[in-house]
Amino acid sequence: MKTPGDTGFAFPDWAYKPESSPGSRQIQLWHFILELLRKEEYHDVIAWQGDYGEFVIKDPDEVARLWGARKCKPQMNYDKLSRALRYYYNKRILHKTKGKRFTYKFNFNKLVLVNYPFIDMGSGRGVPQSAPPVPSGGTHFRFPPSTPSEVLSSSEELRSPGMFSSVARRMARGSVSDCSDGTSTNSELEEAVGADERGVGPDRAYRGLLPPRLPHDSLFRIYPNTAGLARPAPRVHPEPLSPFPVSPLPGPGGLLAPTLSPALSMTPTPHLSYTPSPSLSSPMMGSHFSFNPEDMKHYLQAHTQSVYNYHLSPRAFLHYPNIVIPQPHRPTLEKPAVHHLHGPHHPLSHSLSQQPAGGGGGGGEEQHQQHPSPFKFKLQPPPLGRKQREAGSSLAAPSSSQSSSFTGSGQINNAVPPKIKVEPISDIESEEEVEVTDISEEDELHHNDEDDEGDIFTPTARHHHQLNNHHRANGNGSSIPAAPHSNLEDEDDEEVFKTPATPPIGGGGSGGGLAFPLMGLKSEPGQAAPISPGGTRCIPLKLRFKRRWSEDQKMEADGERDEAEDKKVRAEGEEEQAEEKGRGTGAVENGGGRGVILGLMLPPPPTQRRASSELQRATAQLSLENTGC
DNA sequence: CCCGGAACGA
DNA sequence: TCGTTCCGGG
């Protein structure tokens, strides 16, 4: 599957690997955690807390037991489990919330990208404090750096049959757990799931998964560039129950208006079974960008798949005009044109086959089958070790950290400048001091790439955690300050500089070219500098890269570097510079690039429920699978 | 409690 | 090769 040949640029393997996906036979700890988090039954043991993506293990032993049961390792204990969790730090799947016991936070950035872009995590309702509505703009969520464009670019690979087939098979086989002894866990989970599916309405179903906040905002924030769009108050909470943020656009109706790129016809195609109302459908895409429909499709599909896989809320589904995303089940509805795209539909269908919910399911399935992640590219794993906390901290901390960590408080909402905002208000004070040392490491390093991202989810958290979590904690819960995607910029910039060439893009020019084209399309006139790809490359390239890769790249780059030379991470000086630059020029572009993405993402509002229900089912199915001892 | 190197298994 | 588990140290 992995083609070694690949350059390796895109996302981390785990992000797209089938194995990573929930449906996969071998469950991974983080999947498991996610699973538990989504179930209320376990909310006593583990639950979302505070910031997005942040969860607390209330009963470590129990969690360990459950995990052990799942893996058929009776000896599992929290210590081991936590080690496993720690292992994820390097992968950036999660990180520890300092200062809080048993509290970790998911970095969905990457995950999101590939597997599920819109995710949010949060507490579902179950969660007590945190659940709340997002504060104002929830900004936590960030778009995946890579975004579709990247994906698209690599589309080549996407289609590779090999992957699909293999995946498909896997999925198909998939479910069924081997572990007979399956402890209660399995059964419980399964049951629970089942219950959710059927009995409960969709709302509930997913509610657990997602977090209260809404990612959308973040999206917006990221993309401000479309000035027109302004994504004012994206978050609407349509559904009271659901914790999630709601669909973004809908609220402000105006926002939506802008439609997608001109290139595409805006026509909303209701192909999707769950398609939301057409009008709503197009989210925010700015007029600026246009994607290639196919690409979009792929992206969407992938996204969809992820959604299903992870039980994300329906909102997660993207809606894009002209593009049809196949749904997993429910073939009955329409089988629109699923063209080759098909989707993702995954395992569920297969595994589900057992339940023919939708009458004619069979046929539909075929079409869709696909793998989870259509995209193949991956970035390389960037793990790097961050060993030197201390060292780094001293150095880097200062400037970079600040920038990166933004506390920003709701700027987005208000400000929402068309451009990106750079560092918000971050309170330097607190952050710096505090963070500097401890955090610094993380922040620095990560922040480069991730923190921001990661933080994005919990912007506040980071800083505070050390000092005081208190405020962040639930009080508002949300606390979401803001966003800051500014960080991104910074980050990006950095990266750019560093690894300009790297790119992913394939080897060479060609690769790059591919990628860019999209960009070009997207970009609009004014802002971004579209310019031809070639030309663009020089400067724009960087920027672009930044955006895309931004995080990943940075990390990787850094990581690589670090690895190669030494682990220390220090490149801050450079970074800083980069940041500055990036801002200047980058801002616009950023917006553009990302904006596009955002646009893609948009979630559809209303209608999704169905989808969600299905999703649920699917998920349920998946969850059942687990086990294989 | 948390970290991360080292060993181990698939 | 990758992920998980063991284990000593902070």
Side-chain angles (χ1 to χ4, degrees):
Chain A
M1 301 221 6
K2 309 179 157 208
T3 52
D6 300 1
T7 56
F9 36 106
F11 306 92
D13 297 352
W14 55 270
Y16 68 85
K17 278 184 180 178
E19 289 82 357
S20 301
S21 106
S24 71
R25 176 180 281 247
Q26 63 173 34
I27 189 165
Q28 290 200 307
L29 178 58
W30 63 276
H31 293 138
F32 180 75
I33 297 286
L34 243 29
E35 216 175 279
L36 292 179
L37 286 168
R38 75 182 287 268
K39 311 218 165 198
E40 295 181 2
E41 300 93 297
Y42 299 99
H43 93 333
D44 306 352
V45 235
I46 186 173
W48 292 112
Q49 204 233 14
D51 299 336
Y52 304 118
E54 191 173 273
F55 63 91
V56 57
I57 294 174
K58 296 175 181 173
D59 186 343
D61 294 334
E62 180 61 16
V63 172
R65 281 201 347 203
L66 293 170
W67 173 234
R70 206 28 156 346
K71 296 293 289 286
C72 297
K73 306 238 167 189
Q75 301 209 68
M76 181 58 67
N77 57 32
Y78 178 72
D79 182 61
K80 292 173 182 172
L81 182 147
S82 65
R83 179 68 188 84
L85 252 26
R86 267 176 252 133
Y87 164 77
Y88 289 127
Y89 297 172
N90 291 335
K91 291 196 162 171
R92 295 186 242 104
I93 294 173
L94 7 118
H95 65 81
K96 183 87 178 64
T97 296
K98 292 178 182 175
K100 293 188 174 184
R101 286 201 346 183
F102 307 123
T103 303
Y104 297 82
K105 199 165 84 176
F106 274 97
N107 289 329
F108 278 115
N109 316 334
K110 301 198 170 172
L111 288 180
V112 173
L113 314 185
V114 178
N115 294 332
Y116 11 359
F118 309 99
I119 290 186
D120 12 350
M121 17 208 116
S123 48
R125 70 124 75 198
V127 179
Q129 320 130 346
S130 54
V134 174
S136 46
T139 41
H140 353 317
F141 181 106
R142 198 190 171 201
F143 267 149
S146 54
T147 78
S149 63
E150 285 185 353
V151 171
L152 296 178
S153 65
S154 60
S155 61
E156 308 165 349
E157 292 179 354
L158 293 181
R159 303 172 181 177
S160 64
M163 290 186 64
F164 280 130
S165 64
S166 65
V167 172
R169 288 180 184 174
R170 216 189 239 181
M171 305 215 43
R173 312 178 70 183
S175 52
V176 178
S177 58
D178 300 348
C179 280
S180 61
D181 70 348
T183 61
S184 60
T185 322
N186 293 344
S187 65
E188 289 179 358
L189 292 177
E190 292 178 356
E191 290 178 357
V193 171
D196 289 351
E197 295 175 358
R198 307 175 183 180
V200 176
D203 292 349
R204 282 182 146 201
Y206 31 93
R207 74 164 173 274
L209 295 181
L210 310 186
R213 285 105 185 238
L214 24 155
H216 303 315
D217 287 356
S218 46
L219 295 179
F220 291 108
R221 88 174 184 271
I222 293 172
Y223 257 54
N225 85 5
T226 48
L229 299 182
R231 52 144 320 44
R235 63 164 134 347
V236 173
H237 288 276
E239 303 173 358
L241 296 180
S242 66
F244 325 24
V246 177
S247 61
L249 320 181
L255 297 179
L256 299 181
T259 79
L260 312 176
S261 60
L264 297 182
S265 59
M266 263 301 276
T267 62
T269 50
H271 302 337
L272 306 185
S273 50
Y274 53 88
T275 45
S277 62
S279 61
L280 296 180
S281 63
S282 65
M284 46 210 277
M285 316 214 71
S287 52
H288 309 317
F289 325 104
S290 59
F291 281 92
N292 180 331
E294 288 206 353
D295 290 345
M296 291 295 293
K297 288 178 182 178
H298 290 290
Y299 177 78
L300 293 176
Q301 290 178 348
H303 175 70
T304 302
Q305 172 108 28
S306 330
V307 171
Y308 284 104
N309 290 341
Y310 294 94
H311 325 91
L312 298 180
S313 82
R315 289 185 187 138
F317 292 94
L318 300 180
H319 189 346
Y320 195 73
N322 292 336
I323 297 173
V324 173
I325 299 172
Q327 273 196 343
H329 298 356
R330 284 207 166 209
T332 40
L333 295 180
E334 293 178 2
K335 308 185 164 187
V338 175
H339 316 315
H340 40 300
L341 303 179
H342 318 341
H345 316 329
H346 64 284
L348 296 180
S349 33
H350 304 290
S351 62
L352 287 183
S353 55
Q354 33 176 342
Q355 300 180 349
E365 290 180 356
E366 292 177 355
Q367 291 178 347
H368 330 308
Q369 53 184 356
Q370 191 178 348
H371 357 323
S373 49
F375 318 116
K376 203 185 173 187
F377 25 48
K378 50 174 83 215
L379 261 185
Q380 171 172 23
L384 35 121
R386 35 164 105 210
K387 293 181 171 183
Q388 65 316 354
R389 308 172 173 183
E390 303 165 354
S393 66
S394 65
L395 299 178
S399 63
S400 65
S401 67
Q402 293 176 347
S403 63
S404 65
S405 63
F406 34 67
T407 37
S409 36
Q411 306 168 344
I412 298 168
N413 295 344
N414 301 343
V416 179
K419 295 179 173 184
I420 300 172
K421 61 180 61 216
V422 182
E423 322 176 355
I425 314 169
S426 56
D427 7 351
I428 305 164
E429 22 168 91
S430 64
E431 290 179 357
E432 289 182 351
E433 290 180 353
V434 174
E435 286 184 354
V436 174
T437 46
D438 295 355
I439 297 170
S440 64
E441 338 170 290
E442 292 180 354
D443 289 7
E444 293 175 353
L445 297 180
H446 300 317
H447 66 316
N448 298 344
D449 44 349
E450 245 174 7
D451 254 17
D452 2 13
E453 301 168 356
D455 291 357
I456 293 170
F457 296 26
T458 50
T460 38
R462 255 197 171 45
H463 331 46
H464 309 64
H465 51 290
Q466 280 192 338
L467 294 181
N468 36 324
N469 313 331
H470 46 289
H471 73 276
R472 100 133 51 197
N474 30 355
N476 325 337
S478 19
S479 56
I480 310 176
H485 74 316
S486 57
N487 297 343
L488 294 177
E489 293 178 355
D490 295 350
E491 295 175 356
D492 293 349
D493 293 348
E494 296 176 356
E495 286 303 342
V496 173
F497 286 155
K498 294 178 180 181
T499 48
T502 348
I505 313 179
S510 66
L514 292 175
F516 292 119
L518 293 176
M519 303 289 295
L521 294 175
K522 305 168 188 173
S523 61
E524 260 235 14
Q527 310 198 333
I531 306 175
S532 64
T536 355
R537 280 188 191 170
C538 299
I539 296 172
L541 241 170
K542 288 182 177 181
L543 295 178
R544 294 177 183 179
F545 276 108
K546 290 175 13 178
R547 297 172 199 152
R548 298 175 182 175
W549 305 82
S550 59
E551 301 166 357
D552 293 344
Q553 290 274 351
K554 285 185 201 175
M555 291 304 290
E556 290 180 348
D558 291 349
E560 289 178 358
R561 250 212 268 152
D562 291 349
E563 290 178 357
E565 297 178 355
D566 60 60
K567 295 182 175 183
K568 298 178 177 183
V569 174
R570 291 188 168 190
E572 296 175 355
E574 292 178 355
E575 291 177 352
E576 290 179 355
Q577 293 176 351
E579 289 178 356
E580 291 178 357
K581 284 185 177 181
R583 293 176 187 170
T585 50
V588 172
E589 284 191 0
N590 252 340
R594 299 215 171 181
V596 172
I597 295 168
L598 293 178
L600 294 177
M601 313 208 121
L602 11 145
T607 22
Q608 303 179 344
R609 291 187 176 184
R610 271 190 183 174
S612 66
S613 62
E614 293 194 355
L615 197 169
Q616 283 270 343
R617 265 185 213 162
T619 54
Q621 300 271 344
L622 293 176
S623 57
L624 295 179
E625 297 178 358
N626 51 36
T627 71
C629 300

